[in-house]
Amino acid sequence: MSVIPSTLAVIAAAIWIPGSPLGTFFDFVALPVIYWKWMILIITAYIVTTQIVKDIYIKINKQWL
């Protein structure tokens, strides 16, 4: 199973919550645009790194966990 869908689900929740009624309840505010630029870069690097490490692990151990 790929880690990409679960990562994207967490990202979607993190984006949605500040603008939702739940975010209003907790007094969350919108984040600046520069934050989202860095977030996209960091998450893309995370997804690529975890997929590479997972592929190496499977190659060495012949199975995923």
Side-chain angles (χ1 to χ4, degrees):
M1 182 175 181
S2 177
V3 297
I4 294 173
S6 60
T7 300
L8 293 176
V10 170
I11 294 167
I15 292 170
W16 175 77
I17 289 173
S20 72
L22 184 63
T24 304
F25 177 76
F26 287 111
D27 293 327
F28 291 164
V29 295
L31 294 167
V33 174
I34 191 70
Y35 171 85
W36 295 110
K37 291 177 182 179
W38 277 105
M39 178 70 89
I40 290 168
L41 177 68
I42 291 167
I43 290 174
T44 301
Y46 168 77
I47 289 171
V48 169
T49 302
T50 54
Q51 284 298 121
I52 290 170
V53 170
K54 179 181 171 186
D55 291 343
I56 292 169
Y57 180 90
I58 291 171
K59 192 176 282 190
I60 291 170
N61 295 299
K62 309 292 185 230
Q63 64 179 355
W64 178 240
L65 300 176

